[in-house]
Amino acid sequence: MGPISSSWSFNKFFAIVFVVFAISGEFVAGYYRPGPWRYAHATFYGDETASETMGGACGYGNLFNSGYGVATAALSTTLFKDGYGCGQCFQITCSKSPHCYYGNPSTVVTATNLCPPNWYQDSNDGGWCNPPRTHFDLAKPAFMKLADWKAGIIPVAYRRVPCQRSGGMRFQFQGNAYWLLIFVMNVGGSGDIKSMAVKGSRTNWISMSHNWGASYQAFSSLYGQSLSFRITSYTTGETIYAWNVAPTNWNAGITYKSSANFR
């Protein structure tokens, strides 16, 4: 009876853990699950072309070229988390406002920028992104899917959702032969990155430090070697490997694609 009782206890414990993680929106069975709904406010910046949203604190550059388009948002400091919030995906819906479109539609956006604090204005009157507020400054086309843009600011409900990406992660190379700077884009699953390491074809794994936004750096001479990467998610802690991403003749300014991605 002892072994049967132990097995039952283990299975019961596993079932409880599974339910808890599924409810909280964590990493379950190889997939990132949606998180709980929370409340915040949203504004917008730029115009209908979203030209002012290009670039941004995450370092994704031209958001059309990097695959994010106009479905993007700048996060307040609390959500941005010193750049570790870059790449995260949020479902946002207009909530309890006369400016909401009929049916309270929702949209999904990717975090690509920082909405900086404005300490010269009150947090409830213009300083919308001041800590500890949670706030989304949306690209105008994204805002216009939720409400009349003339509202300026609206209350919203939001939740983290899995980032649905086509293909593998993309690695944009910068730096030089002695300093490698990598911007990581098109990250699926939780969408974010906690840490990275690089391996040359003639080296062991070399830890990379967080530079800013979605970029990581290694101060090593790696030119002339094919490069692989080890990537760990900030939210889930899952680690995956992207092997032989860049050939031996890799160059700065080029984006290399892998087949590896989070789910």
Side-chain angles (χ1 to χ4, degrees):
M1 292 298 294
I4 295 176
S5 177
S6 297
S7 176
W8 180 87
S9 298
F10 173 81
N11 291 335
K12 182 178 180 181
F13 172 77
F14 179 81
I16 293 173
V17 170
F18 185 91
V19 170
V20 169
F21 274 83
I23 292 175
S24 63
E26 296 296 329
F27 181 69
V28 180
Y31 290 87
Y32 180 72
R33 305 298 189 188
W37 286 98
R38 306 180 189 278
Y39 294 95
H41 285 80
T43 49
F44 67 88
Y45 68 115
D47 58 20
E48 288 84 350
T49 67
S51 58
E52 292 184 30
T53 68
M54 298 299 111
C58 292
Y60 294 137
N62 186 305
L63 299 178
F64 292 105
N65 294 341
S66 54
Y68 299 116
V70 298
T72 63
L75 305 181
S76 61
T77 302
T78 302
L79 292 170
F80 191 71
K81 301 183 179 74
D82 292 325
Y84 291 107
C86 288
Q88 293 179 352
C89 296
F90 298 86
Q91 183 181 8
I92 300 176
T93 182
C94 188
S95 174
K96 301 177 182 178
S97 169
H99 301 285
C100 295
Y101 288 144
Y102 179 78
N104 296 322
S106 68
T107 189
V108 175
V109 296
T110 300
T112 60
N113 204 354
L114 167 68
C115 179
N118 184 349
W119 300 115
Y120 294 101
Q121 293 184 297
D122 185 89
S123 296
N124 295 311
D125 187 17
W128 310 119
C129 292
N130 295 348
R133 289 182 62 101
T134 54
H135 188 86
F136 297 88
D137 202 16
L138 302 174
K140 190 174 182 180
F143 187 96
M144 293 173 66
K145 289 187 175 182
L146 305 177
D148 183 349
W149 66 269
K150 294 179 181 179
I153 181 170
I154 55 172
V156 297
Y158 75 95
R159 64 174 179 169
R160 287 277 305 278
V161 293
C163 296
Q164 305 293 336
R165 303 298 181 208
S166 176
M169 286 180 283
R170 303 172 188 171
F171 300 82
Q172 183 188 92
F173 280 47
Q174 298 294 338
N176 52 51
Y178 303 97
W179 171 57
L180 180 64
L181 180 66
I182 301 293
F183 291 88
V184 189
M185 300 174 288
N186 203 53
V187 181
S190 67
D192 52 29
I193 295 175
K194 178 183 179 181
S195 61
M196 282 183 60
V198 59
K199 185 183 185 308
S201 50
R202 300 192 300 271
T203 72
N204 293 319
W205 286 104
I206 300 169
S207 294
M208 305 179 75
S209 59
H210 184 213
N211 184 292
W212 60 280
S215 68
Y216 292 79
Q217 62 190 359
F219 294 92
S220 301
S221 178
L222 294 167
Y223 196 72
Q225 302 180 58
S226 60
L227 302 182
S228 301
F229 295 97
R230 184 178 68 210
I231 309 99
T232 299
S233 165
Y234 178 81
T235 297
T236 69
E238 181 192 11
T239 296
I240 61 176
Y241 294 82
W243 295 103
N244 299 315
V245 171
T248 56
N249 62 340
W250 61 265
N251 279 297
I254 297 179
T255 299
Y256 297 92
K257 299 179 181 180
S258 75
S259 58
N261 214 333
F262 296 103
R263 297 179 293 174

